[in-house]
Amino acid sequence: TEILESPSKIPGNFGTRNLHDNLSDLRAQVAANNSGIRLLKELVGEYGLHTVQAYMNFIQNNAELAVRDMLKDFARQHGSRAQALDYMDDGTPIHLTIDIDEDTGSAMFDFTGTGPQVLGNHNAPPAVTYSAVIYSLRSLVGLDIPLNQGCLAPITFNIPKYCLLNPSDDAGVVGGNVL
């Protein structure tokens, strides 16, 4: 654990607040993944790989269509462009412009204008942004669909390098979906 605490020895940096909790979280994630592997193997054993893969594809295709339909409806009712600007506690802006193609239901989520990465752990790797977007899209769909990658199929992202939402590899980042 000494190497995990080493960032706190660099001026202006801080180590983890509770290493024991972080390690427990990681163990829980590994256990959840192992349960998923076991359950998926049981499913394939019962129904066969071809059938399971087909249903996985059906679920993702359905999610994609649901998101596309929601985005088309949004564009018809509110226009094909939406913008939002919010600020972190330190004043760093998070800017989002969404351009929707009303015909296809695809959209560009552009985070140009988001503030630069910061010293500290308030930066978020793109995966956190993708996670927030996929959750938001599924919530807006208004249908009871499982959260899955199909929700992001119609979405393209522009997250400028070295901004708060796409920091350099050596920048401190948040520990979860907190934005």
Side-chain angles (χ1 to χ4, degrees), residues 63-68 71 99 104-109 137 149-156:
E64 177 182 352
L65 291 174
V67 169
R68 285 185 187 278
L71 290 169
D99 287 308
T104 66
S106 60
M108 163 64 83
F109 281 59
L137 290 171
Q149 192 65 24
C151 296
L152 286 183
I155 309 303
T156 54

Side-chain angles (χ1 to χ4, degrees), residues 6-170:
S6 64
S8 64
K9 295 177 179 134
I10 300 170
N13 287 292
F14 303 93
T16 181
R17 281 186 248 160
N18 192 333
L19 182 58
H20 177 73
D21 286 354
N22 296 144
L23 293 173
S24 293
D25 288 347
L26 288 172
R27 282 191 284 278
Q29 290 172 16
V30 168
N33 285 335
N34 286 333
S35 292
I37 290 167
R38 180 183 49 78
L39 291 169
L40 189 55
K41 284 180 177 180
E42 288 176 16
L43 201 59
V44 169
E46 186 171 345
Y47 295 101
L49 181 61
H50 178 74
T51 300
V52 171
Q53 285 179 329
Y55 276 92
M56 287 177 169
N57 287 327
F58 296 149
I59 289 168
Q60 288 186 12
N61 291 339
N62 181 61
E64 177 182 352
L65 291 174
V67 169
R68 285 185 187 278
D69 288 345
M70 180 273 298
L71 290 169
K72 289 177 192 177
D73 288 344
F74 181 93
R76 282 192 286 274
Q77 293 176 22
H78 305 285
S80 61
R81 175 171 274 201
Q83 292 186 315
L85 176 63
D86 202 353
Y87 297 90
M88 299 291 287
D89 290 344
D90 68 357
T92 303
I94 298 178
H95 189 263
L96 172 61
T97 300
I98 303 171
D99 287 308
I100 303 168
D101 183 323
E102 190 176 330
D103 295 327
T104 66
S106 60
M108 163 64 83
F109 281 59
D110 185 356
F111 289 90
T112 298
T114 294
Q117 68 184 32
V118 296
L119 183 62
N121 66 345
H122 288 174
N123 303 297
V128 171
T129 302
Y130 302 150
S131 180
V133 169
I134 194 173
Y135 180 81
S136 299
L137 290 171
R138 183 186 159 262
S139 297
L140 291 169
V141 162
L143 299 172
D144 188 16
I145 62 170
L147 184 63
N148 67 80
Q149 192 65 24
C151 296
L152 286 183
I155 309 303
T156 54
F157 288 87
N158 180 36
I159 308 173
K161 193 78 175 137
Y162 307 119
C163 79
L164 188 71
L165 304 178
N166 192 5
S168 63
D169 291 341
D170 61 348

